[in-house]
Amino acid sequence: MQIESKLPNVGVTIFTKMSKMAHEYNAINLAQGFPDFPVSPELIDRVHHYMQEGMNQYAPMPGVPILREAISSKTEHCYGWKPNVDSEITVTCGAIEAINSAVSALIHPGDEVIIMDPAYDAYEPIINLQGAKAIGVPLRQPDYSIDWEGVRSQITSKTKMIMINTPHNPSGATISVKDLSELEQITEGTGIMVLSDEVYEHIVFDGQAHQSVLRSEALRKRSVVTSSFGKTFHATGWRMGYLIAPSELMIEIRKVHQYNTFTIHTATQYAIADYLKDTAHYEDVAPMYQTKRDFFLKVMKGSRFKPVPAKGTYFQLMDYSAISEKGDVEFSEWMTKEIGVATIPMSVFYQDKQDNRVLRFCFAKNENTLAAAAEKLCAL
Ligand SMILES: Cc1ncc(COP(=O)(O)O)c(C=O)c1O
């Protein structure tokens, strides 16, 4: 049988590869973005409670109303605008399903989608699966901010969507109020949609406010915003996310969602609805990760790795050019095998796989995991 691959250039992801290597060589895994500390016992207890209560059958396709109501109230609390519970919120199987369903529903063959470069590795294949093209606009150095002139210069009659991600994986950069107004100006009077991937919305540091596109009346009329309870409540394996979009976009997105995952784990939806009632459950996430970021930077001070300041997410970039001339893929593989710390080489996030000798470290770990990793890394 001859199989014509729809994604000929895609193999297993670097995250799977590095996690497998970390396991094989018994290395500390700072590669894949998953926390190694427990989920709140209270939240687990709520899931258990609702399973015992009999919430074990299909939930409504867009998500249980009580969770959509809780998401709507959280959005109003955080960004000053309340999305419609019935028509503007859908609960999804992680943010990745939200992105996939949105792009599948809204992007057609031949369309162009502007993405930032480097970007989370899923965007380009998801766009390509629709027969569309991802047009990368390089982020500015050294702070990975968005080059709006670069974005403007790439807009053509085929541009259907601009995708942003704030806080940004892999760099940890965040957008500002000025960025929101640039995006407003660029899209004003056009039919261009925005997909704003805000899975790390509750992981922003140093007293900044998260600049969601939902804060802007002009932008939210054309935007799909994706978020992840997996990230917010460090329960990435629960696969719980959601998206917010204006109803005319949501009608199309739900057509895909209903034949994709159809619905999401019912008891977990009820549990999260309860858990969201206490705003501290999401407001305390940023200080918790900021303490981890600061701890990781402190224990790495004695090393020859040079950190790139992270304003959000649970990732820290480190430049290793003072340590080795090796390429980043080779160096990260060597570090996993010989030093016992797994990381992600930054080149995998670039369209052209450019190598600036930078690695991405995930600090969503217990302090003793971070300290043990730092001890090994400081010896380099
Ligand atoms: C930027 C970004 N978007 C989306 C996702 C997917 O989130 P989820 O695990 O909720 O599917 C991730 C996960 O790493 C991510 O980093």
Side-chain angles (χ1 to χ4, degrees):
M1 213 183 347
Q2 274 242 288
I3 295 173
E4 195 188 337
S5 174
K6 284 190 156 186
L7 296 171
N9 302 321
V10 172
V12 282
T13 72
I14 187 77
F15 309 101
T16 308
K17 185 176 154 193
M18 293 312 289
S19 285
K20 188 165 169 271
M21 262 182 91
H23 185 70
E24 266 167 33
Y25 291 92
N26 203 18
I28 299 171
N29 190 353
L30 303 189
Q32 203 170 7
F34 68 90
D36 76 343
F37 44 91
V39 171
S40 149
E42 185 189 335
L43 183 53
I44 291 176
D45 187 55
R46 296 317 291 159
V47 178
H48 188 214
H49 166 79
Y50 284 114
M51 288 177 89
Q52 284 188 319
E53 287 275 293
M55 303 303 189
N56 299 307
Q57 306 307 331
Y58 294 130
M61 180 271 280
V64 301
I66 196 169
L67 177 57
R68 282 183 279 127
E69 179 57 56
I71 292 169
S72 179
S73 300
K74 174 174 93 74
T75 305
E76 184 177 32
H77 177 73
C78 295
Y79 311 124
W81 169 75
K82 194 167 168 40
N84 184 287
V85 174
D86 293 325
S87 60
E88 294 181 321
I89 299 169
T90 299
V91 179
T92 58
C93 181
I96 201 71
E97 192 252 313
I99 297 165
N100 214 322
S101 292
V103 171
S104 303
L106 303 172
I107 298 302
H108 293 261
D111 287 350
E112 291 180 355
V113 178
I114 292 181
I115 63 171
M116 302 307 139
D117 191 23
Y120 179 53
D121 69 326
Y123 300 157
E124 189 164 359
I126 289 174
I127 294 163
N128 291 161
L129 270 175
Q130 305 314 317
K133 203 168 165 199
I135 309 291
V137 173
L139 290 173
R140 279 194 296 232
Q141 287 299 328
D143 61 357
Y144 296 91
S145 58
I146 297 177
D147 173 3
W148 292 110
E149 272 320 303
V151 172
R152 262 193 194 91
S153 72
Q154 292 296 343
I155 291 179
T156 69
S157 57
K158 293 184 182 161
T159 308
K160 289 288 148 52
M161 182 181 270
I162 298 173
M163 259 195 200
I164 61 167
N165 169 214
T166 184
H168 179 255
N169 174 13
S171 72
T174 54
I175 65 164
S176 64
V177 177
K178 190 161 173 290
D179 290 311
L180 284 181
S181 94
E182 291 274 10
L183 188 55
E184 276 174 11
Q185 284 165 35
I186 284 181
T187 52
E188 195 186 345
T190 73
I192 299 173
M193 293 173 280
V194 171
L195 191 150
S196 183
D197 182 4
E198 302 185 11
V199 295
Y200 302 102
E201 63 178 321
H202 298 297
I203 314 181
V204 288
F205 306 136
D206 308 317
Q208 299 167 81
H210 169 59
Q211 296 304 330
S212 173
V213 299
L214 296 173
R215 289 179 187 273
S216 153
E217 196 181 343
L219 288 176
R220 61 183 178 249
K221 286 187 185 143
R222 60 173 78 245
S223 298
V224 177
V225 175
T226 58
S227 191
S228 169
F229 292 119
K231 303 292 181 191
T232 301
F233 297 137
H234 36 274
T236 56
W238 289 8
R239 313 304 305 123
M240 288 285 296
Y242 64 90
L243 60 85
I244 297 178
S247 57
E248 60 272 30
L249 299 186
M250 192 62 96
I251 287 168
E252 296 305 315
I253 296 169
R254 284 183 181 168
K255 288 181 189 172
V256 176
H257 168 74
Q258 71 183 344
Y259 293 125
N260 191 354
T261 57
F262 178 44
T263 62
I264 312 305
H265 193 257
T266 311
T268 308
Q269 292 196 53
Y270 282 103
I272 290 181
D274 278 357
Y275 201 64
L276 285 173
K277 282 183 196 145
D278 184 349
T279 60
H281 286 151
Y282 51 86
E283 285 170 342
D284 289 352
V285 175
M288 184 268 288
Y289 279 116
Q290 185 171 325
T291 305
K292 288 189 186 297
R293 178 200 63 173
D294 294 346
F295 178 80
F296 186 52
L297 289 175
K298 190 177 88 191
V299 289
M300 287 292 286
K301 246 199 175 123
S303 80
R304 290 192 291 156
F305 286 90
K306 193 167 153 247
V308 177
K311 294 182 182 164
T313 76
Y314 45 50
F315 301 114
Q316 176 65 59
L317 297 185
M318 295 267 184
D319 179 317
Y320 65 88
S321 52
I323 300 172
S324 173
E325 305 253 290
K326 283 189 174 78
D328 65 356
V329 174
E330 194 191 347
F331 186 68
S332 61
E333 289 179 358
W334 174 83
M335 250 182 38
T336 310
K337 289 184 199 163
E338 305 296 332
I339 308 299
V341 180
T343 58
I344 300 290
M346 183 69 172
S347 60
V348 303
F349 297 100
Y350 284 97
Q351 279 194 319
D352 66 357
K353 308 297 168 219
Q354 65 182 263
D355 182 353
N356 303 308
R357 280 188 267 162
V358 174
L359 300 176
R360 191 197 76 173
F361 295 75
C362 172
F363 58 78
K365 308 289 169 188
N366 278 306
E367 285 197 353
N368 42 15
T369 311
L370 297 174
E375 196 182 323
K376 291 168 184 283
L377 297 168
C378 286
L380 278 174

